[in-house]
Amino acid sequence: MTTTPEGPLAEEPEARPTSPEEAVLQEAESVLAEADPAAEGSMEVLDSARRILLVHAHPDDETIGNGVTMAKYAAEGAHVTLVTCTLGEEGEVLVPGLAHLAADKDDQLGQHRIGELATAMEALGVRDHRFLGGPGRFRDSGMMGLPTNDRPDTFWQADLDVAAGLLVDVLREVRPQVVVTYDENGGYGHPDHIQAHRVAMRGVELAADPAHGGGEPWQVSKVYWNAMPESVMRDGIRRLKEAGDTSFDDWDVDGEMPSFVVPDDVITTVIEGMEHVEAKLAAMRAHATQITVDGPFFALSNNLGNQVWGLEHYRLVQGTAGTERDADGRETDLFAGTR
């Protein structure tokens, strides 16, 4: 189901957008206005033989890490559910004309990012995207070590079992065979990413426990963590430098890599979706306050070609790997071996 912060939007005469950013938001509002909550609420999720659920911290995280995967499975008829844990209120605002939305000004960035997420999901073909506990239940905690971490309404301060219990409700409704989230460090150590990992893992555990809450228990077959292979990261930076791009000039291509980069030998699964790269790039553009076309993300495709976005890597941490493997011995389907 597509959710809005205040229910269906009222119909108004459509004004011509005055900027690309306004066009993105206007498109998102149109998507939300056209959604039929009653029809989507009655949708028989279990009619889809394959069901995957992704748990992310902020709007845009899903597109950067899993955009191709989500678009691929949605196009193949799988039911794709995205659960986003915060509105991303503490994010930077990269559009000068929208700087007033920032947390230290009007503090309306989170509401704006609801629209960006709706447009991104439209680009990926994903119709079931939700906020954990509803929009605004948990606030963005900000980067690790900032005073915002200590606000009582932040996701970082949320009671683990309370937040996980909200996810259990979704897991038992959707009954996904596959769950995707971050590793125990949240990829790069952001408090909300770490908490999303904890909530996802605890939610999977509690969803299978008959003694927990209401609803029929559900055992998720496979749990994956997002991963960035070391060889891919080093090769990409090296090629960017050779192309004269300065986006990663302060990175030593032969030195220590950031914490989100992992040794190749822990990668269990790779999803290839070259035909869905354009959908991923469109979804990235939809997150206009967070990703700029002249920033480091688009530098990768501008200098190395869009194919750099066509592969997404994972670590299988729960469940049994499928038997079909690629030349490197890795799975090529998150659903392999599930029923």
Side-chain angles (χ1 to χ4, degrees):
M1 71 187 70
T2 302
T3 58
T4 69
E6 299 176 353
L9 301 174
E11 291 188 13
E12 296 180 355
E14 188 169 311
R16 181 182 296 275
T18 58
S19 68
E21 292 75 29
E22 186 176 335
V24 167
L25 185 56
Q26 189 175 96
E27 182 179 351
E29 291 171 345
S30 174
V31 169
L32 294 173
E34 293 172 5
D36 182 348
E40 292 198 346
S42 63
M43 178 177 57
E44 293 294 332
V45 174
L46 300 184
D47 284 349
S48 298
R50 299 189 300 170
R51 301 175 300 280
I52 180 172
L53 183 145
L54 304 95
V55 180
H56 276 285
H58 317 106
D60 83 344
D61 293 328
E62 78 298 320
T63 298
I64 295 167
N66 309 111
V68 159
T69 300
M70 296 170 73
K72 167 185 164 65
Y73 285 122
E76 292 177 356
H79 187 90
V80 180
T81 300
L82 171 66
V83 177
T84 307
C85 298
T86 79
L87 302 184
E89 295 94 336
E90 296 292 335
E92 290 185 77
V93 180
L94 301 179
V95 180
L98 298 176
H100 63 93
L101 298 175
D104 61 351
K105 295 180 180 175
D106 294 347
D107 197 18
Q108 291 298 309
L109 180 59
Q111 295 298 313
H112 183 85
R113 293 182 74 178
I114 291 173
E116 291 185 339
L117 180 61
T119 304
M121 292 304 94
E122 185 75 4
L124 298 179
V126 174
R127 302 298 297 173
D128 185 5
H129 50 100
R130 318 171 184 206
F131 289 96
L132 185 67
R137 172 66 182 269
F138 302 108
R139 184 180 174 89
D140 183 349
S141 308
M143 297 296 287
M144 185 67 81
L146 293 179
T148 51
N149 298 169
D150 299 325
R151 285 184 54 148
D153 57 347
T154 61
F155 190 45
W156 183 237
Q157 296 296 331
D159 180 274
L160 178 58
D161 279 356
V162 169
L166 296 170
L167 184 62
V168 168
D169 293 341
V170 183
L171 289 167
R172 288 181 173 177
E173 173 197 341
V174 176
R175 306 174 78 79
Q177 295 98 338
V178 176
V179 166
V180 174
T181 191
Y182 314 104
D183 64 18
E184 67 274 22
N185 189 48
Y188 66 100
H190 191 293
D192 293 333
H193 287 235
I194 296 171
Q195 187 77 320
H197 160 85
R198 294 172 178 169
V199 167
M201 300 305 291
R202 181 63 169 155
V204 167
E205 177 187 358
L206 293 177
D209 183 358
H212 178 81
E216 185 178 349
W218 176 251
Q219 178 66 60
V220 173
S221 298
K222 302 173 83 174
V223 176
Y224 288 93
W225 294 347
N226 292 330
M228 171 58 70
E230 184 177 335
S231 64
V232 172
M233 195 70 199
R234 292 190 190 278
D235 179 63
I237 296 172
R238 183 177 292 108
R239 291 167 61 194
L240 277 175
K241 288 177 179 288
E242 290 172 352
D245 188 273
T246 60
S247 301
F248 294 87
D249 264 6
D250 57 344
W251 291 42
D252 180 0
V253 70
D254 296 313
E256 185 176 354
M257 289 284 106
S259 59
F260 67 85
V261 179
V262 300
D264 285 31
D265 59 9
V266 305
I267 303 295
T268 62
T269 312
V270 58
I271 298 300
E272 186 276 322
M274 296 299 176
E275 66 271 35
H276 302 293
V277 167
E278 289 302 326
K280 175 168 180 165
L281 293 175
M284 289 171 70
R285 291 187 185 95
H287 291 293
T289 61
Q290 306 302 302
I291 304 173
T292 59
V293 295
D294 58 351
F297 287 113
F298 281 99
L300 290 170
S301 53
N302 292 340
N303 288 281
L304 308 181
N306 288 350
Q307 66 270 18
V308 300
W309 294 110
L311 298 176
E312 293 174 346
H313 300 82
Y314 299 91
R315 298 168 61 184
L316 176 64
V317 297
Q318 181 173 308
T320 304
T323 56
E324 293 187 13
R325 311 290 177 87
D326 65 10
D328 295 318
R330 297 169 178 171
E331 291 182 305
T332 57
D333 180 9
L334 299 183
F335 289 97
T338 66
R339 293 184 294 177

